[in-house]
Amino acid sequence: MNEIKKWALQCKAKEAVEVLNSRCFDAHYAENSAEAKQIVKELIPDGAEIAVGGSVTLQETGIMDLVRSPEYRFIDRFNSKSWEEELHKYRLGFLSDVFVTGTNAVTLDGKLVNIDCTGNRTGCIAFGPKKVIVVIGANKVVDNAEEGIKRAKGIAPMNSRRIHHGNPCDTTCACTECTGTNRVCNVISIIDGCYKFPGRISVIVVAEELGF
């Protein structure tokens, strides 16, 4: 059965890559996490200033360790001593050479779908950094943007609990359309092709189940 599941992930990943490339993304197929990490390494120039979005996928693939290596200049948002310092680093990310992130969903009609709390991730994907690298497991490939939003809303409670935001969904594991300061569903973003800056966004679709 594991072979059948792997085959299904391979099929989804390859189909998504083909569609994304037809819509001016720079899309790559990766058989596994190690291959995805190598592709990311090849895409980042030595000495590049790198910012990242919060992503379980980057941790699971080892890509977070890669971007922290001494050969790059890493904007470390995770060691901030205050919210103001963290916000400043978010803003620095917009001027970075490379922004590396996961995504909530990729659609089979060539869109990237994300839901954000602060908007730094969705903003940097859309505009700012010279290069964006998105890494996604094939388990996040869906048919269309509507399904992508549904998927993103469905995993929002896990992300809220992961970052200890204290929202109602941290306890119930269900969306209550909360309105508090720490609400994680403030920004919905759909990147509908990469036509304005062809190839600026590289998407690596991995034939594995990754992230939430």
Side-chain angles (χ1 to χ4, degrees), residues 25-97:
F25 292 95
D26 171 46
H28 302 258
Y29 171 83
E31 187 68 24
N32 51 47
S33 293
E35 194 171 307
K37 184 177 178 181
Q38 182 58 36
I39 294 170
V40 171
K41 183 174 177 60
E42 292 169 1
L43 289 171
I44 302 177
D46 288 347
E49 185 174 52
I50 301 174
V52 297
S55 170
V56 173
T57 296
L58 297 187
Q59 295 172 5
E60 291 178 340
T61 55
I63 291 169
M64 189 65 77
D65 293 330
L66 170 66
V67 299
R68 289 177 177 274
S69 64
E71 59 196 286
Y72 310 120
R73 293 173 290 135
F74 181 57
I75 300 172
D76 194 350
R77 49 176 282 199
F78 303 105
N79 70 351
S80 303
K81 296 180 177 62
S82 66
W83 173 233
E84 288 73 22
E85 182 182 352
E86 188 171 351
L87 275 178
H88 177 65
K89 290 177 180 177
Y90 286 170
R91 294 185 178 106
L92 291 177
F94 281 86
L95 300 176
S96 63
D97 297 314

Side-chain angles (χ1 to χ4, degrees), residues 19-25 103 105-114 122 125-127 143-146 188-198 200-201 203:
V19 172
L20 289 166
N21 277 323
S22 74
R23 294 172 63 77
C24 291
F25 292 95
T103 187
V106 166
T107 74
L108 288 176
D109 55 0
K111 300 179 177 69
L112 306 182
V113 180
N114 285 286
T122 51
I125 293 173
F127 183 77
D143 285 339
N144 51 50
E146 183 179 359
I188 296 176
S189 167
I190 299 172
I191 305 297
D192 189 2
C194 197
Y195 300 109
K196 179 65 175 179
F197 303 104
R200 171 181 171 267
I201 303 176
V203 185

Side-chain angles (χ1 to χ4, degrees), residues 175-193:
C175 180
T176 59
E177 294 295 343
C178 67
T179 57
T181 303
N182 289 332
R183 185 177 190 260
V184 296
C185 302
N186 290 315
V187 182
I188 296 176
S189 167
I190 299 172
I191 305 297
D192 189 2

